[in-house]
Amino acid sequence: MTILKRQLAAAINYRVDGSGDTAWLLFNGATLALEFWDPLAVALAEHDTVVRFDQRNAGATQAEGLFSLPDTAGDAAAVLEHLGVESVIAVGHAWGGRAAQVFARDYPHLCRALVICGTGGQIPATVSEGLLAQLREAVQAGDQVAWSARVEQIYCAPGFAERQPNEYADLIRLMWPPTRHAARWDPRIAPSRSYWGVAQLPTLLIYGEQDQFGTPENADDLQSRLADVRRLDIADAGHFVIREAPRQIFAALQDFSAQLPAG
């Protein structure tokens, strides 16, 4: 664990793996720790450099008060400056895909390409309020069994636990128990229209076909707005697509990187 103190509001926990010429900057989904990227980060780091960090309400990053998408993008830029990394391919999962778009908007000199995985925010989610209520009730009751079942129903494609029991168990180990944090994202700052689909650089969209948050309709909308865009839709994957299909995503990232202009 490495901590970078940024202003008085946050002490950013970050991690660097690998030492290759291509650098990847990974933006976590909301409240998810940087370890959520482990399978993909390990594979990328065999030949490339991988930088990831805990946002202000996740993992080991210590922060209080409200924060915004521009704050998260600024935290990322500060980490890169601290490390001396001058150019990255930014990859954002879920909420992190929003942050990655803001990073590409606000720090174009640092971002040579963009990957957006399972990011919503433009088209409403399709997950039922009943399931979300059951998830919250399980947390309040400390019922890990019920909570685990709801996690699969809400965030993964049907049958994930049966198809990939080891990966499912590791996911639950990483996420339980849910913790409360002092920092909270303020959605009023940087509304989606200010960053959604405005990237002018090569972009790869990766979406699970059963995603109930970053729905395929969100991918359709982004694709219609972007000029230089590629897209991968993954069957039998939901919102946690980076955990459900890391091998497919790794292959897609390698192909995408290989097609980019040198930089």
Side-chain angles (χ1 to χ4, degrees):
M1 181 174 69
T2 308
I3 299 294
L4 170 66
K5 291 186 178 180
R6 174 170 152 76
Q7 305 172 344
L8 296 178
I12 306 300
N13 176 51
Y14 70 89
R15 175 170 174 170
V16 181
D17 295 285
S19 58
D21 292 337
T22 297
W24 301 86
L25 173 64
L26 310 183
F27 287 86
N28 311 336
T31 75
L32 298 173
L34 60 79
E35 288 83 4
F36 199 84
W37 289 101
D38 276 354
L40 187 58
V42 169
L44 288 171
E46 289 189 10
H47 301 287
D48 301 332
T49 299
V50 180
V51 180
R52 43 185 165 151
F53 69 103
D54 287 327
Q55 65 192 44
R56 294 192 184 197
N57 67 340
T61 288
Q62 300 175 8
E64 296 182 356
L66 293 175
F67 69 98
S68 65
L69 288 168
D71 287 329
T72 302
D75 291 342
V79 170
L80 296 182
E81 180 181 7
H82 175 70
L83 295 172
V85 176
E86 298 179 348
S87 178
V88 299
I89 303 172
V91 186
H93 168 243
W95 185 90
R98 303 184 188 194
Q101 290 177 78
V102 174
F103 173 80
R105 182 196 72 185
D106 293 353
Y107 301 93
H109 60 292
L110 296 176
C111 189
R112 57 188 289 244
L114 182 62
V115 182
I116 301 171
C117 304
T119 294
Q122 190 75 2
I123 310 299
T126 59
V127 64
S128 77
E129 287 298 326
L131 277 177
L132 293 173
Q134 291 174 29
L135 183 72
R136 292 190 293 267
E137 291 167 3
V139 171
Q140 292 169 1
D143 187 343
Q144 183 179 3
V145 174
W147 175 86
S148 300
R150 298 296 88 76
V151 165
E152 182 186 21
Q153 287 180 285
I154 293 170
Y155 297 106
C156 306
F160 173 60
E162 183 177 355
R163 286 192 306 273
Q164 303 185 58
N166 292 336
E167 288 79 0
Y168 172 70
D170 188 58
L171 179 65
I172 296 303
R173 177 197 60 77
L174 179 64
M175 295 179 63
W176 181 267
T179 56
R180 294 184 177 182
H181 299 271
R184 289 287 180 270
W185 169 48
D186 187 343
R188 298 169 298 179
I189 302 174
S192 64
R193 65 180 179 274
S194 72
Y195 61 80
W196 184 267
V198 303
Q200 299 296 310
L201 66 173
T203 303
L204 171 63
L205 306 179
I206 302 176
Y207 280 73
E209 292 182 354
Q210 286 77 44
D211 193 333
Q212 299 179 85
F213 291 94
T215 61
E217 289 77 15
N218 278 281
D220 292 341
D221 189 75
L222 265 178
Q223 188 172 14
S224 72
R225 297 168 185 264
L226 296 166
D228 188 356
V229 61
R230 302 149 183 82
R231 178 168 169 182
L232 172 64
D233 294 297
I234 299 181
D236 296 322
H239 193 52
F240 283 172
V241 60
I242 64 170
R243 276 280 174 161
E244 296 172 89
R247 294 181 182 84
Q248 287 176 263
I249 294 178
F250 171 71
L253 294 184
Q254 291 296 95
D255 288 345
F256 179 59
S257 175
Q259 295 171 21
L260 295 175

XYZ file of all heavy atoms in Angstrom, residues 57-136:
569
model
N -13.929 7.290 -1.580
C -14.805 6.571 -0.649
C -14.634 5.069 -0.778
O -15.588 4.303 -0.681
C -16.275 6.963 -0.850
C -16.828 6.498 -2.194
O -16.064 6.210 -3.116
N -18.150 6.436 -2.310
N -13.406 4.637 -1.012
C -13.176 3.202 -1.241
C -11.820 2.768 -0.708
O -10.894 3.564 -0.569
C -13.258 2.899 -2.740
N -11.743 1.456 -0.413
C -10.458 0.853 -0.076
C -9.728 1.558 1.039
O -10.304 1.907 2.071
N -8.441 1.788 0.829
C -7.585 2.350 1.866
C -7.369 3.851 1.731
O -6.547 4.420 2.453
C -6.224 1.639 1.849
N -8.078 4.494 0.819
C -7.958 5.944 0.707
C -8.747 6.624 1.823
O -9.923 6.317 2.017
C -8.452 6.434 -0.666
O -7.494 6.061 -1.662
C -8.637 7.942 -0.691
N -8.103 7.523 2.510
C -8.715 8.224 3.634
C -9.169 9.606 3.184
O -8.374 10.390 2.689
C -7.720 8.340 4.782
C -7.233 6.996 5.305
C -6.147 7.145 6.355
O -5.864 8.256 6.807
N -5.552 6.045 6.753
N -10.460 9.881 3.351
C -10.996 11.167 2.939
C -12.287 11.445 3.692
O -12.920 10.524 4.217
C -11.251 11.181 1.430
N -12.667 12.703 3.718
C -13.921 13.106 4.345
C -14.626 14.112 3.455
O -14.018 14.742 2.597
C -13.656 13.723 5.729
C -13.056 12.753 6.736
C -12.863 13.401 8.097
O -13.136 14.615 8.217
O -12.444 12.689 9.025
N -15.933 14.247 3.678
C -16.704 15.270 2.985
C -17.116 14.862 1.584
O -16.959 13.718 1.159
N -17.663 15.839 0.842
C -18.115 15.604 -0.522
C -16.947 15.665 -1.494
O -15.988 16.407 -1.290
C -19.157 16.648 -0.914
C -20.496 16.599 -0.181
C -21.369 17.770 -0.595
C -21.208 15.279 -0.440
N -17.043 14.869 -2.547
C -16.064 14.951 -3.625
C -16.797 14.787 -4.947
O -17.948 14.339 -4.991
C -14.948 13.912 -3.472
C -15.402 12.491 -3.680
C -15.227 11.863 -4.906
C -15.993 11.774 -2.653
C -15.638 10.549 -5.094
C -16.396 10.460 -2.827
C -16.226 9.845 -4.062
N -16.139 15.145 -6.039
C -16.771 15.147 -7.350
C -15.973 14.316 -8.339
O -14.839 13.887 -8.066
C -16.871 16.585 -7.870
O -15.568 17.107 -8.086
N -16.541 14.117 -9.516
C -15.799 13.455 -10.590
C -14.517 14.223 -10.943
O -13.464 13.609 -11.124
C -16.691 13.296 -11.820
C -17.808 12.251 -11.702
C -18.792 12.391 -12.856
C -17.241 10.837 -11.659
N -14.549 15.565 -11.042
C -13.292 16.278 -11.279
C -12.266 16.077 -10.159
O -11.060 16.062 -10.418
C -13.732 17.746 -11.384
C -15.125 17.664 -11.909
C -15.712 16.467 -11.227
N -12.720 15.919 -8.919
C -11.785 15.615 -7.834
C -11.095 14.277 -8.092
O -9.876 14.140 -7.898
C -12.509 15.550 -6.490
C -12.931 16.913 -5.976
O -12.234 17.899 -6.270
O -13.966 16.985 -5.294
N -11.868 13.284 -8.499
C -11.299 11.962 -8.759
C -10.326 12.015 -9.930
O -9.244 11.419 -9.881
C -12.420 10.947 -9.042
O -13.309 10.900 -7.923
C -11.854 9.564 -9.282
N -10.699 12.734 -10.981
C -9.787 12.900 -12.112
C -8.510 13.617 -11.676
O -7.399 13.256 -12.101
C -10.479 13.673 -13.229
N -8.659 14.626 -10.821
C -7.490 15.339 -10.311
C -6.614 14.462 -9.435
O -5.376 14.566 -9.473
N -7.239 13.594 -8.640
C -6.462 12.650 -7.838
C -5.628 11.748 -8.746
O -4.459 11.468 -8.463
C -7.398 11.790 -6.978
C -8.081 12.586 -5.875
O -7.613 13.688 -5.541
O -9.102 12.087 -5.348
N -6.246 11.277 -9.832
C -5.532 10.416 -10.776
C -4.348 11.153 -11.394
O -3.239 10.611 -11.492
C -6.483 9.934 -11.866
N -4.571 12.396 -11.807
C -3.488 13.182 -12.401
C -2.360 13.412 -11.401
O -1.169 13.382 -11.769
C -4.033 14.516 -12.904
N -2.720 13.624 -10.137
C -1.691 13.824 -9.106
C -0.860 12.559 -8.898
O 0.361 12.640 -8.708
C -2.354 14.241 -7.795
N -1.509 11.407 -8.936
C -0.774 10.142 -8.806
C 0.197 9.982 -9.974
O 1.373 9.615 -9.791
C -1.755 8.955 -8.735
C -1.002 7.633 -8.856
C -2.542 8.984 -7.432
N -0.276 10.264 -11.185
C 0.599 10.131 -12.355
C 1.776 11.102 -12.281
O 2.916 10.742 -12.610
C -0.197 10.371 -13.637
C -1.305 9.366 -13.952
C -1.972 9.724 -15.273
C -0.771 7.944 -13.993
N 1.511 12.338 -11.859
C 2.598 13.309 -11.716
C 3.611 12.832 -10.678
O 4.831 12.933 -10.892
C 2.035 14.664 -11.308
C 3.101 15.740 -11.138
C 2.532 17.074 -10.715
O 1.318 17.147 -10.428
O 3.297 18.049 -10.644
N 3.114 12.295 -9.568
C 3.981 11.783 -8.517
C 4.867 10.651 -9.042
O 6.045 10.547 -8.670
C 3.114 11.279 -7.367
C 3.868 10.619 -6.260
N 4.684 11.312 -5.394
C 3.927 9.308 -5.877
C 5.212 10.473 -4.520
N 4.769 9.254 -4.798
N 4.320 9.835 -9.931
C 5.053 8.691 -10.473
C 5.901 9.046 -11.697
O 6.727 8.248 -12.127
C 4.070 7.581 -10.863
C 3.277 6.946 -9.727
C 2.209 6.017 -10.282
C 4.202 6.176 -8.779
N 5.662 10.213 -12.258
C 6.382 10.591 -13.473
C 5.854 9.908 -14.720
O 6.571 9.782 -15.712
N 4.595 9.501 -14.702
C 3.973 8.855 -15.861
C 3.325 9.937 -16.714
O 2.493 10.703 -16.237
C 2.919 7.816 -15.422
C 2.210 7.222 -16.630
C 3.574 6.727 -14.593
N 3.686 9.998 -18.001
C 3.277 11.118 -18.841
C 2.135 10.799 -19.795
O 1.514 11.722 -20.350
C 4.471 11.612 -19.654
C 5.614 12.132 -18.780
C 6.798 12.602 -19.597
O 6.822 12.320 -20.818
O 7.688 13.256 -19.026
N 1.813 9.522 -19.990
C 0.764 9.175 -20.945
C 0.179 7.818 -20.583
O 0.933 6.866 -20.324
C 1.324 9.139 -22.374
O 0.335 8.762 -23.302
N -1.154 7.723 -20.566
C -1.801 6.477 -20.167
C -2.990 6.178 -21.082
O -3.528 7.057 -21.754
C -2.328 6.538 -18.715
C -1.199 6.764 -17.733
C -3.415 7.606 -18.574
N -3.379 4.919 -21.062
C -4.684 4.513 -21.556
C -5.569 4.413 -20.321
O -5.296 3.619 -19.426
C -4.627 3.169 -22.292
C -3.631 3.228 -23.454
C -6.024 2.779 -22.796
C -3.384 1.878 -24.114
N -6.598 5.238 -20.248
C -7.461 5.263 -19.074
C -8.583 4.245 -19.235
O -9.262 4.212 -20.268
C -8.051 6.654 -18.886
N -8.762 3.408 -18.214
C -9.794 2.380 -18.231
C -10.696 2.601 -17.027
O -10.238 2.589 -15.883
C -9.187 0.961 -18.158
C -10.277 -0.102 -18.327
C -8.092 0.774 -19.200
N -11.985 2.789 -17.263
C -12.914 3.004 -16.167
C -14.013 1.977 -16.156
O -14.638 1.710 -17.187
N -14.242 1.378 -14.979
C -15.331 0.414 -14.818
C -16.476 1.067 -14.054
O -16.266 1.667 -13.001
C -14.848 -0.829 -14.070
C -15.962 -1.723 -13.631
N -16.239 -1.987 -12.311
C -16.900 -2.397 -14.354
C -17.284 -2.796 -12.230
N -17.703 -3.047 -13.457
N -17.711 0.936 -14.578
C -18.910 1.405 -13.905
C -18.791 2.912 -13.610
O -18.547 3.697 -14.517
C -19.158 0.575 -12.652
N -18.938 3.308 -12.314
C -18.772 4.717 -11.958
C -17.402 5.217 -12.397
O -17.251 6.382 -12.795
C -18.942 4.876 -10.454
C -18.911 6.282 -9.951
C -19.965 7.124 -9.803
C -17.746 7.012 -9.534
N -19.548 8.342 -9.310
C -18.182 8.298 -9.137
C -16.391 6.714 -9.452
C -17.318 9.274 -8.663
C -15.507 7.696 -8.983
C -15.979 8.957 -8.596
N -16.406 4.347 -12.345
C -15.072 4.723 -12.783
C -15.015 5.099 -14.249
O -14.119 5.837 -14.673
N -15.958 4.594 -15.046
C -16.027 5.009 -16.443
C -16.458 6.453 -16.598
O -16.075 7.131 -17.554
N -17.257 6.941 -15.651
C -17.583 8.367 -15.634
C -16.328 9.175 -15.307
O -16.013 10.182 -15.956
C -18.663 8.653 -14.605
C -19.961 7.886 -14.785
C -20.982 8.345 -13.757
N -22.180 7.518 -13.745
C -23.315 7.858 -13.143
N -23.377 9.006 -12.490
N -24.362 7.059 -13.180
N -15.629 8.732 -14.245
C -14.413 9.436 -13.835
C -13.370 9.425 -14.946
O -12.666 10.422 -15.167
C -13.851 8.801 -12.563
N -13.253 8.296 -15.651
C -12.272 8.206 -16.739
C -12.606 9.177 -17.864
O -11.708 9.772 -18.472
C -12.221 6.777 -17.268
N -13.891 9.362 -18.144
C -14.282 10.318 -19.182
C -13.946 11.752 -18.764
O -13.518 12.567 -19.592
C -15.773 10.189 -19.479
C -16.145 8.894 -20.189
C -17.632 8.767 -20.403
O -18.201 9.375 -21.309
N -18.289 7.981 -19.568
N -14.146 12.063 -17.491
C -13.785 13.391 -17.002
C -12.265 13.572 -17.034
O -11.762 14.650 -17.380
C -14.340 13.620 -15.585
C -13.838 14.933 -15.004
C -15.875 13.612 -15.619
N -11.540 12.527 -16.686
C -10.070 12.579 -16.760
C -9.627 12.859 -18.195
O -8.758 13.715 -18.431
C -9.485 11.257 -16.269
C -7.997 11.137 -16.445
C -7.133 11.735 -15.545
C -7.466 10.420 -17.501
C -5.744 11.628 -15.696
C -6.100 10.297 -17.666
C -5.237 10.907 -16.763
N -10.218 12.159 -19.164
C -9.857 12.378 -20.565
C -10.212 13.792 -21.006
O -9.498 14.407 -21.808
C -10.563 11.356 -21.450
N -11.319 14.323 -20.488
C -11.741 15.690 -20.815
C -10.808 16.731 -20.222
O -10.420 17.695 -20.897
C -13.155 15.916 -20.289
C -13.758 17.275 -20.591
C -14.964 17.545 -19.708
N -14.579 17.798 -18.310
C -15.446 17.974 -17.311
N -16.743 17.882 -17.547
N -15.014 18.204 -16.083
N -10.434 16.563 -18.946
C -9.700 17.594 -18.211
C -8.181 17.473 -18.329
O -7.469 18.453 -18.093
C -10.086 17.549 -16.733
C -11.527 17.962 -16.496
O -12.184 18.417 -17.461
O -12.006 17.819 -15.358
N -7.687 16.279 -18.673
C -6.231 16.057 -18.758
C -5.890 15.370 -20.073
O -5.282 14.292 -20.085
C -5.767 15.220 -17.558
C -6.079 15.861 -16.237
C -7.258 15.562 -15.555
C -5.219 16.802 -15.674
C -7.576 16.174 -14.355
C -5.518 17.418 -14.470
C -6.704 17.104 -13.817
O -7.011 17.718 -12.621
N -6.242 15.985 -21.199
C -6.001 15.341 -22.499
C -4.530 15.081 -22.786
O -4.195 14.163 -23.541
C -6.614 16.335 -23.498
C -6.598 17.657 -22.786
C -6.847 17.319 -21.350
N -3.654 15.868 -22.180
C -2.225 15.670 -22.394
C -1.709 14.393 -21.726
O -0.615 13.915 -22.060
C -1.442 16.869 -21.861
C -1.625 17.125 -20.406
N -2.826 17.561 -19.865
C -0.770 17.001 -19.350
C -2.696 17.700 -18.562
N -1.475 17.366 -18.221
N -2.487 13.843 -20.799
C -2.078 12.622 -20.105
C -2.749 11.369 -20.665
O -2.326 10.257 -20.350
C -2.412 12.719 -18.612
C -1.698 13.796 -17.798
C -2.227 13.805 -16.361
C -0.193 13.550 -17.795
N -3.791 11.540 -21.468
C -4.640 10.418 -21.868
C -4.573 10.208 -23.378
O -5.031 11.057 -24.148
C -6.078 10.685 -21.423
S -7.178 9.283 -21.608
N -4.038 9.075 -23.793
C -3.922 8.795 -25.228
C -5.071 7.966 -25.768
O -5.286 7.907 -26.985
C -2.593 8.106 -25.531
C -2.344 6.819 -24.791
C -0.915 6.331 -25.011
N -0.694 5.842 -26.362
C -0.383 4.560 -26.626
N -0.262 3.677 -25.640
N -0.200 4.173 -27.856
N -5.826 7.304 -24.889
C -6.968 6.507 -25.322
C -7.827 6.212 -24.101
O -7.394 6.372 -22.956
C -6.517 5.213 -25.997
N -9.053 5.755 -24.360
C -10.040 5.588 -23.295
C -10.763 4.254 -23.465
O -11.137 3.879 -24.576
C -11.040 6.745 -23.376
C -12.156 6.849 -22.353
C -11.606 7.031 -20.950
C -13.071 8.024 -22.714
N -10.953 3.559 -22.333
C -11.734 2.322 -22.317
C -12.824 2.487 -21.270
O -12.545 2.822 -20.118
C -10.877 1.096 -21.989
C -11.727 -0.177 -22.025
C -9.695 0.972 -22.956
N -14.069 2.241 -21.649
C -15.212 2.396 -20.758
C -15.897 1.043 -20.615
O -16.337 0.458 -21.606
C -16.193 3.438 -21.308
C -15.489 4.797 -21.482
C -17.411 3.576 -20.393
C -16.311 5.824 -22.227
N -15.979 0.548 -19.379
C -16.527 -0.780 -19.111
C -17.793 -0.672 -18.253
O -17.717 -0.241 -17.096
C -15.521 -1.658 -18.367
S -13.928 -1.849 -19.165
N -18.922 -1.051 -18.800
C -20.134 -1.151 -17.989
C -20.562 0.136 -17.319
O -21.096 0.101 -16.207
N -20.361 1.259 -17.976
C -20.681 2.550 -17.372
C -22.078 3.010 -17.779
O -22.418 3.008 -18.959
C -19.650 3.609 -17.796
O -18.384 3.249 -17.246
C -20.036 4.987 -17.300
N -22.860 3.390 -16.793
C -24.181 3.945 -17.036
C -24.220 5.412 -16.702
O -23.196 6.080 -16.672
N -25.436 5.895 -16.423
C -25.599 7.274 -16.029
C -26.401 8.096 -17.010
O -26.917 9.158 -16.660
N -26.524 7.624 -18.250
C -27.302 8.349 -19.245
C -28.691 7.714 -19.405
O -29.697 8.404 -19.390
C -26.569 8.343 -20.589
C -27.159 9.270 -21.635
C -26.843 10.724 -21.378
O -26.148 11.074 -20.435
N -27.363 11.603 -22.222
N -28.724 6.395 -19.525
C -29.969 5.640 -19.625
C -30.227 5.009 -18.261
O -29.320 4.421 -17.658
C -29.869 4.550 -20.701
C -29.345 5.135 -22.015
C -31.219 3.870 -20.899
C -30.198 6.204 -22.624
N -31.442 5.093 -17.715
C -31.706 4.563 -16.363
C -31.386 3.079 -16.225
O -31.500 2.301 -17.183
C -33.210 4.822 -16.184
C -33.518 5.952 -17.106
C -32.623 5.766 -18.293
N -30.976 2.694 -15.020
C -30.726 1.285 -14.718
C -32.030 0.494 -14.780
O -33.123 1.042 -14.613
C -30.099 1.164 -13.335
N -31.910 -0.806 -15.014
C -33.087 -1.667 -15.111
C -33.247 -2.595 -13.911
O -34.218 -3.331 -13.844
C -33.012 -2.521 -16.389
O -31.818 -3.318 -16.365
C -33.008 -1.646 -17.637
N -32.315 -2.577 -12.972
C -32.406 -3.437 -11.792
C -33.616 -3.036 -10.958
O -33.955 -1.858 -10.856
C -31.109 -3.354 -10.951
C -30.907 -1.959 -10.391
C -31.095 -4.398 -9.855
N -34.276 -4.030 -10.361
C -35.499 -3.742 -9.615
C -35.189 -3.127 -8.259
O -34.191 -3.483 -7.605
C -36.321 -5.014 -9.425
O -35.774 -5.821 -8.402
N -36.044 -2.214 -7.830
C -35.887 -1.601 -6.515
C -36.053 -2.635 -5.411
O -35.458 -2.520 -4.339
C -36.902 -0.471 -6.339
C -36.583 0.775 -7.149
C -35.253 1.405 -6.740
O -34.897 1.352 -5.547
O -34.574 1.946 -7.622
N -36.856 -3.660 -5.673
C -37.039 -4.717 -4.683
C -35.752 -5.452 -4.376
O -35.440 -5.721 -3.206
N -34.978 -5.775 -5.406
C -33.698 -6.449 -5.191
C -32.723 -5.555 -4.444
O -31.999 -6.015 -3.553
C -33.091 -6.884 -6.529
C -33.579 -8.195 -7.133
C -32.917 -8.431 -8.486
C -33.288 -9.367 -6.196
N -32.676 -4.278 -4.797
C -31.785 -3.355 -4.100
C -32.173 -3.231 -2.628
O -31.297 -3.167 -1.752
C -31.823 -1.985 -4.780
C -31.232 -1.920 -6.195
C -31.499 -0.555 -6.812
C -29.743 -2.221 -6.187
N -33.464 -3.227 -2.350
C -33.929 -3.161 -0.958
C -33.513 -4.420 -0.198
O -33.094 -4.347 0.966
C -35.448 -2.995 -0.919
N -33.611 -5.581 -0.854
C -33.196 -6.826 -0.212
C -31.694 -6.835 0.068
O -31.253 -7.360 1.101
C -33.567 -8.018 -1.093
C -35.063 -8.269 -1.202
C -35.390 -9.362 -2.199
O -34.606 -10.278 -2.427
N -36.560 -9.270 -2.821
N -30.919 -6.242 -0.821
C -29.468 -6.145 -0.604
C -29.183 -5.294 0.636
O -28.371 -5.681 1.484
C -28.805 -5.536 -1.838
C -27.281 -5.430 -1.804
C -26.648 -6.805 -1.959
C -26.776 -4.495 -2.910
N -29.852 -4.151 0.741
C -29.648 -3.276 1.899
C -30.092 -3.953 3.191
O -29.419 -3.838 4.220
C -30.410 -1.969 1.689
C -29.863 -1.090 0.584
C -30.508 0.279 0.600
N -31.923 0.220 0.250
C -32.397 0.376 -0.986
N -31.571 0.576 -1.993
N -33.705 0.323 -1.208
